[in-house]
Amino acid sequence: QEHLVESGGGLVQPGGSLRLSCAASGSTSHIYAFNWYRQAPGKERELVATITSLGSASVVDSVKGRFTISRDISKNIVYLQMNSLKPEDTATYYCNSEGTGGPEVGYRRLEVWGQGTLVTVSS
């Protein structure tokens, strides 16, 4: 069973930096992408960044130039480096994996979510 655990959240000032980590354990061979999502109070959860099993990385326009997603394959850890943080970046950040199940589940798409880590950007 795959598990994802996020860490690295906290309180930072506007313009500051923070690095989030997502540690994956269990069976991960079926995963083809890892994602970072975030959800602010009263808002819907939104995609922030994606990295594929081949290392292709991308972020959404609202954080482009400030956030970077990366992966340490040997340690099975996905990172989200956040620079030039703004108050509007305040949210709970979630790590998510996408993969394909085996024949027992009809090869359906599988998603696993971490518990989330809170990032607060405030002076």
Side-chain angles (χ1 to χ4, degrees), residues 46-122:
E46 64 174 347
L47 177 68
V48 177
T50 297
I51 188 165
T52 71
S53 60
L54 297 178
S56 179
S58 63
V59 299
V60 297
D61 288 343
S62 61
V63 303
K64 194 175 297 291
R66 300 188 298 119
F67 290 13
T68 303
I69 186 171
S70 61
R71 179 184 178 187
D72 186 330
I73 298 176
S74 64
K75 296 181 179 180
N76 233 5
I77 298 176
V78 179
Y79 301 99
L80 184 66
Q81 179 66 48
M82 305 184 295
N83 300 323
S84 302
L85 284 162
K86 305 175 181 180
E88 50 263 44
D89 295 319
T90 296
T92 298
Y93 285 72
Y94 298 90
C95 182
N96 155 267
S97 69
E98 296 180 84
T100 303
E104 71 277 7
V105 294
Y107 300 102
R108 69 179 177 88
R109 177 174 175 265
L110 296 178
E111 287 189 317
V112 177
W113 293 86
Q115 83 288 351
T117 184
L118 178 63
V119 173
T120 302
V121 184
S122 176

Side-chain angles (χ1 to χ4, degrees), residues 14-70:
S17 297
L18 205 62
R19 188 178 75 164
L20 306 182
S21 299
C22 173
S25 61
S27 179
T28 60
S29 61
H30 65 287
I31 298 172
Y32 55 78
F34 286 92
N35 310 291
W36 283 99
Y37 286 78
R38 67 184 181 186
Q39 186 168 24
K43 303 286 187 176
E44 294 187 356
R45 189 171 298 185
E46 64 174 347
L47 177 68
V48 177
T50 297
I51 188 165
T52 71
S53 60
L54 297 178
S56 179
S58 63
V59 299
V60 297
D61 288 343
S62 61
V63 303
K64 194 175 297 291
R66 300 188 298 119
F67 290 13
T68 303
I69 186 171
S70 61

